Amino acid sequence: MEEDISIARIANAICQDTTFEGVHLLVEGRQDYKLYKKLAQNQNVRIKTTRGKYRLREVYSLLIERGITRVVGIRDADFLRIEGNPKYSAEYAVPIFPTDCHDAEIMLACSGVLDDYLTLVTEPEQINQFVAKHKPILDLVLEAVYPLGCLRLANKRFGLGLSFKPERPEGNQLKIRKFILESNWSTDIPVMINTVWEYSQNRGLTVASKDIIGEALTTILSEEYPAHEVSNGHDFSSVLHIVSTRGLKSSNRLLQDPNCVQDLLIANYDLRRFALTTLYRSVQDWSIGNDKPLVFQLP
């Protein structure tokens, strides 16, 4: 399986591709591959997934050590731009560029593509009624997932021992539905803490008490970070799936699970929107500045 492929093996495959004279684009995962594949100059670019930003950096470093310079990476920003992050440097020279928002899915959602997604999966009347009762769907979903994003940040900052994804891709996902209140589409924070706490047991880490977790979360929430820098794309897709099927009453057969939501957002995203991002300009500027083939298509 892809997750078992070693860093050295990924680098070896690229090094052995001696007839290719274009650029090797490193991305974190399969969803990133789907996204950037449709935007890339495919005759000039070959995309390789690395399963995570840490492995991406290691693959990049190994390639540079071997003299391969036609390589560039794209990583999820995650909490990179959160105030006080000691790892952030505006002068970071290595060409591994972060997404404009927390990750690629949030970057897509904030681009305007959500309107196209909603048109595809439900009827205008359903959307209008829902928005009139609640609020615009992008705002609603971001507000719903924001506390969970803050909990992820609290875990990172305070070492709470929490887990948010299965140990293996085929494992059970965190059941976000348990703590989303369908009456007003907000997050029940005590239930969220308990759900994540239970999900994190027996993972080989010492999990903090619920009281300590609650205090850490309160600290992060009080700092009021931008939702697009904190909210996680998989969380967003999970809540958008619930809103689409339960709130908007969509019976569209394309909406099998949150992964399908991510696929639909990617399918509706286009080069016109991507060309407005800092990520697009940064990668294209790298190509031009280093006399390499352009990685992405021209708008």
Side-chain angles (χ1 to χ4, degrees):
M1 295 178 64
E2 181 181 327
E3 62 269 15
D4 296 319
I5 298 176
S6 71
I7 292 164
R9 185 175 171 186
I10 295 171
N12 289 342
I14 292 173
C15 292
Q16 291 167 7
D17 194 2
T18 56
T19 61
F20 178 62
E21 297 182 352
V23 174
H24 295 281
L25 173 61
L26 305 178
V27 300
E28 290 191 39
R30 181 62 184 166
Q31 291 299 113
D32 299 306
Y33 179 91
K34 294 177 185 179
L35 170 61
Y36 299 116
K37 178 69 174 176
K38 68 178 291 186
L39 302 168
Q41 297 264 22
N42 288 315
Q43 70 274 22
N44 294 332
V45 178
R46 291 190 178 165
I47 305 175
K48 186 70 75 173
T49 60
T50 63
R51 198 176 66 86
K53 61 180 176 291
Y54 301 111
R55 287 165 58 91
L56 191 155
R57 288 203 296 263
E58 291 184 58
V59 171
Y60 175 84
S61 296
L62 192 53
L63 290 170
I64 294 300
E65 288 176 7
R66 296 179 180 182
I68 306 296
T69 60
R70 290 177 289 105
V71 57
V72 63
I74 295 175
R75 55 157 290 180
D76 288 341
D78 294 327
F79 301 116
L80 184 68
R81 290 181 292 262
I82 291 296
E83 184 178 350
N85 188 335
K87 295 182 179 179
Y88 177 68
S89 170
E91 289 75 39
Y92 186 64
V94 175
I96 299 175
F97 299 103
T99 51
D100 281 35
C101 299
H102 181 90
D103 53 29
E105 290 87 353
I106 300 298
M107 183 175 72
L108 266 61
C110 292
S111 73
V113 75
L114 196 58
D115 290 338
D116 295 336
Y117 162 87
L118 292 169
T119 298
L120 182 64
V121 302
T122 191
E123 300 299 326
E125 295 78 11
Q126 291 290 103
I127 300 170
N128 292 337
Q129 291 173 13
F130 185 89
V131 171
K133 183 178 180 181
H134 300 288
K135 62 181 63 177
I137 292 172
L138 175 61
D139 296 339
L140 180 143
V141 177
L142 281 175
E143 287 180 19
V145 300
Y146 182 75
L148 185 55
C150 287
L151 184 58
R152 291 174 179 269
L153 178 56
N155 182 59
K156 185 178 181 67
R157 183 181 296 179
F158 299 112
L160 303 175
L162 299 175
S163 298
F164 298 88
K165 60 184 179 180
E167 293 180 274
R168 303 285 290 182
E170 64 272 14
N172 293 326
Q173 299 288 332
L174 177 68
K175 290 181 171 58
I176 293 178
R177 184 187 296 271
K178 285 186 174 182
F179 48 84
I180 297 297
L181 300 172
E182 294 183 17
S183 57
N184 60 6
W185 299 101
S186 64
T187 295
D188 187 324
I189 289 180
V191 175
M192 177 187 74
I193 291 173
N194 184 66
T195 301
V196 176
W197 184 86
E198 290 182 343
Y199 186 75
S200 304
Q201 301 303 312
N202 303 315
R203 298 292 192 95
L205 296 174
T206 300
V207 182
S209 71
K210 296 174 193 176
D211 287 342
I212 290 176
I213 294 169
E215 291 170 3
L217 176 59
T218 298
T219 297
I220 298 298
L221 287 169
S222 70
E223 295 170 358
E224 298 183 343
Y225 295 111
H228 67 274
E229 293 287 7
V230 171
S231 302
N232 176 277
H234 183 76
D235 300 342
F236 183 95
S237 297
S238 295
V239 174
L240 181 57
H241 182 258
I242 300 169
V243 170
S244 300
T245 55
R246 304 281 295 180
L248 297 170
K249 310 298 182 185
S250 175
S251 58
N252 193 303
R253 287 178 292 181
L254 295 173
L255 294 175
Q256 298 298 311
D257 56 37
N259 288 330
C260 295
V261 171
Q262 292 180 355
D263 287 343
L264 289 173
L265 293 176
I266 290 172
N268 282 282
Y269 193 65
D270 56 29
L271 184 65
R272 173 179 56 87
R273 291 184 173 101
F274 185 51
L276 299 175
T277 65
T278 299
L279 174 59
Y280 174 88
R281 294 191 296 272
S282 298
V283 175
Q284 298 292 74
D285 287 348
W286 173 85
S287 294
I288 295 168
N290 291 276
D291 197 25
K292 310 295 185 190
L294 287 177
V295 173
F296 295 118
Q297 303 168 39
L298 295 174

